[in-house]
Amino acid sequence: MVSINEKRLISHINALGAIGIDREGKRTRLAADDAEKAGRDAVVGWMKEAGLRVAIDCIGNIFGIWEEEDNQREAAVMTGSHIDTVINAGQYDGCYGVLAGIEVIQSLKEAGYKTCRPMVVVAFTNEEGVRYSPDMMGSLVYAGGMAPEEALGVTGIDGTILGKELKRIGYAGTEKPGFIKPYSFVELHIEQGPILEAEGYGIGAVENLQGISWQKITIEGVQNHAGTTPTSYRIDAGVAAAKVVTFMRERCLQSKGKTVSTTGCMEFQPNAINVIPSRAIFTVDVRNPDEESLQAEEQALADYLKELEQTDKVKIHTERLSRFKPVLFDEGIVKMIEKHAKNHSLSSRRITSGAGQDAQNMAALCPTAMIFAPSARGISHNPKEFTSNKDLTACAKVFMDVMAELAGVREGEET
Ligand code: HGY
Ligand code: MN
Ligand code: MN
């Protein structure tokens, strides 16, 4: 069976990684901003070079489609991921899956193989959710989990409207959600965690994905003088916010590693060194692989906020930004991944995705699973994110064989 063109894949990963680097050398391509447009244009160019038909849907998802006369009525073997990034990001998160998807299809086409099913690779819009909530938005709309008009109307952290931004960058497509019927969906991604490297595995067969709960919390206190206000007089939004963050850390420690919680954004108003903050606006991202436990964490947080309103005399308002239940992936495809890993003498282990992924939404449409490549030192959402070329290409070869089997590539049948 033909294999991928390793050099081409690595050069595309590095070329895409060079797009969206700002003057301080930070890589940031937020959904539908100019840097991401440049990334989108590059990906569309590579899809066309691969001879794929390119289609854009109503939420800006980009589809590279390989279909032939004799298979175009069949449901498609799909793959994909995202090319939008967090702020000051690494270059592999999402991009690896999109570019390996193009590479697999291009290599099969170039080798003249026939497939029983069309093959499609997707670059989904706004997977990271940094500029517009919820995250994994493009695949959520595609899978019918969010109405397109609702998603297009979302206001970003910078006051822009997603639909207007997609129009501005020329990616407001017309295809409807679900316009391609998927037979299966397999996403190749970096692990973004420490397990594969620490335990010495070459590849991860992802069997499930943890639930995610995102909230924005606004605490109203009383603005006052930092020097003249006795502690007992203070109604301090800043102290109350700090208590919430430490409360959630306590919950995580009690969960024995099951729950993780992150406050990644926090803003004080009026944000002056000698003024007791009147307001604290911050986010809480809580995750747990078990739905009931995740609900229990959300309830504990809600109860604690009520308690804080009494003890600290603050007013607290919460806004849900995003909520995804845990997802189980398809056992058959997970087993297929393990089989092909073995064929490539790669030691594999089953693993949970700690990160949210587009695959979790596609799992609502068709049998879905993921493949992880090891992350050096488990670092991600950080420019130091790294996966060696050896690991990138070794896992992409396993991915190729999984995709080929799903697509019904007929050995030796040249077009
Ligand atoms: O937040 C996440 O887990 C993913 O990177 N969107
Ligand atoms: Mn990702
Ligand atoms: Mn990410």
Side-chain angles (χ1 to χ4, degrees):
M1 232 302 263
V2 72
S3 184
I4 55 161
N5 177 328
E6 298 179 29
K7 272 186 48 226
R8 180 168 57 194
L9 173 60
I10 299 303
S11 87
H12 284 173
I13 290 172
N14 293 329
L16 184 51
I19 295 176
I21 309 273
D22 65 19
R23 274 189 294 275
E24 293 141 49
K26 292 185 177 163
R27 178 186 298 106
T28 304
R29 295 193 302 268
L30 301 186
D33 72 6
D34 291 335
E36 205 232 359
K37 170 188 169 41
R40 285 168 169 262
D41 295 346
V43 165
V44 167
W46 291 321
M47 285 180 171
K48 288 183 177 159
E49 269 172 34
L52 305 184
R53 174 167 72 86
V54 177
I56 315 286
D57 77 3
C58 56
I59 190 70
N61 295 323
I62 305 168
F63 299 77
I65 302 160
W66 175 31
E67 59 193 2
E68 302 288 354
E69 269 296 295
D70 61 356
N71 70 16
Q72 61 184 9
R73 270 172 295 287
E74 300 299 326
V77 167
M78 293 182 79
T79 183
S81 197
H82 60 96
I83 64 155
D84 66 310
T85 71
V86 293
I87 297 166
N88 194 17
Q91 71 165 14
Y92 303 94
D93 177 0
C95 305
Y96 174 44
V98 172
L99 298 173
I102 296 171
E103 180 52 42
V104 159
I105 300 174
Q106 185 166 4
S107 296
L108 289 170
K109 265 172 80 48
E110 284 171 348
Y113 281 90
K114 280 176 79 67
T115 60
C116 302
R117 302 181 174 286
M119 297 184 82
V120 179
V121 53
V122 194
F124 288 107
T125 294
N126 189 36
E127 191 276 347
E128 294 293 1
V130 169
R131 191 181 184 196
Y132 304 99
S133 286
D135 50 348
M136 284 80 74
M137 192 194 268
S139 51
L140 184 64
V141 169
Y142 190 77
M146 184 176 192
E149 42 290 344
E150 185 194 351
L152 293 167
V154 166
T155 303
I157 53 172
D158 54 5
T160 59
I161 309 284
L162 176 58
K164 290 200 177 121
E165 282 294 275
L166 286 171
K167 271 204 189 87
R168 184 181 66 80
I169 65 167
Y171 280 91
T174 51
E175 298 292 359
K176 295 269 165 286
F179 79 102
I180 293 176
K181 189 176 169 340
Y183 169 78
S184 61
F185 184 86
V186 177
E187 180 169 0
L188 176 62
H189 205 287
I190 52 169
E191 177 200 344
Q192 301 181 282
I195 297 171
L196 293 176
E197 182 188 61
E199 296 181 5
Y201 287 99
I203 193 167
V206 188
E207 58 183 350
N208 67 327
L209 186 143
Q210 64 180 345
I212 304 175
S213 162
W214 280 8
Q215 291 187 62
K216 179 170 135 181
I217 298 177
T218 304
I219 298 184
E220 307 282 356
V222 174
Q223 185 166 326
N224 217 328
H225 194 294
T228 58
T229 315
T231 303
S232 58
Y233 277 62
R234 293 178 183 221
I235 300 182
D236 188 332
V239 167
K243 286 181 178 179
V244 175
V245 177
T246 38
F247 172 79
M248 286 314 293
R249 173 53 63 91
E250 266 317 301
R251 290 289 305 189
C252 294
L253 297 174
Q254 285 158 21
S255 77
K256 298 193 179 28
K258 285 281 174 210
T259 299
V260 285
S261 177
T262 312
T263 288
C265 312
M266 186 173 280
E267 179 204 336
F268 285 168
Q269 292 172 357
N271 200 33
I273 186 167
N274 56 358
V275 179
I276 299 169
S278 57
R279 183 175 289 142
I281 305 165
F282 58 104
T283 56
V284 175
D285 169 330
V286 196
R287 307 192 192 198
N288 188 300
D290 170 69
E291 175 59 15
E292 244 165 68
S293 310
L294 185 55
Q295 287 178 19
E297 299 297 358
E298 289 175 315
Q299 191 52 55
L301 174 57
D303 296 345
Y304 183 65
L305 296 178
K306 280 214 174 54
E307 203 187 298
L308 263 185
E309 285 191 314
Q310 302 310 316
T311 56
D312 289 43
K313 298 192 186 45
V314 290
K315 286 253 153 307
I316 300 181
H317 169 72
T318 61
E319 180 193 348
R320 177 178 290 301
L321 294 178
S322 145
R323 178 65 161 87
F324 290 99
K325 287 187 178 350
V327 167
L328 260 186
F329 286 136
D330 179 82
E331 180 61 17
I333 301 181
V334 174
K335 281 204 169 85
M336 195 188 285
I337 294 166
E338 290 174 316
K339 176 186 74 178
H340 288 293
K342 209 158 164 226
N343 296 346
H344 285 267
S345 337
L346 269 185
S347 58
S348 72
R349 64 110 81 202
R350 296 207 172 191
I351 193 167
T352 297
S353 176
Q357 311 282 6
D358 291 307
Q360 74 189 84
N361 291 320
M362 293 303 285
L365 294 182
C366 63
T368 295
M370 292 188 74
I371 298 174
F372 275 172
S375 287
R377 298 177 307 285
I379 292 176
S380 183
H381 284 189
N382 176 318
K384 292 203 172 70
E385 179 181 282
F386 179 74
T387 297
S388 68
N389 292 350
K390 178 172 153 293
D391 286 343
L392 290 169
T393 49
C395 294
K397 287 178 186 168
V398 172
F399 170 58
M400 166 98 163
D401 289 359
V402 170
M403 289 290 285
E405 181 173 342
L406 288 165
V409 164
R410 293 190 295 262
E411 285 286 341
E413 273 214 38
E414 317 257 315
T415 38

